[in-house]
Amino acid sequence: RLGDFEGAIEQLKKAAAISQQDPVLMDHLGDAYQARGQTGKAREAWRNALQLLEGDQQELRDTIDDKLRNKAS
């Protein structure tokens, strides 16, 4: 459901536990945390996403860097 960030967080955490190497999942988890006002958890998820990125994912790296600079301060 749109706006169900708490439900999204739970589903994304389950998915991340299964696919621990997916930076996109971690990015979305960070977005959901940020939408719930959980800035510290958002920053942690985005940092984890950055660590999982491979060299050919520069666009996602730039997007996450922007989130860390501008949304989670």
Side-chain angles (χ1 to χ4, degrees), residues 33-45:
Y33 278 133
Q34 180 67 21
R36 293 284 300 154
Q38 296 175 308
T39 304
K41 288 184 178 182
R43 293 181 68 79
E44 181 180 342

Side-chain angles (χ1 to χ4, degrees), residues 26-51:
M26 295 308 295
D27 176 41
H28 291 316
L29 182 58
D31 294 343
Y33 278 133
Q34 180 67 21
R36 293 284 300 154
Q38 296 175 308
T39 304
K41 288 184 178 182
R43 293 181 68 79
E44 181 180 342
W46 288 328
R47 284 189 196 111
N48 287 341
L50 285 175
Q51 291 177 348

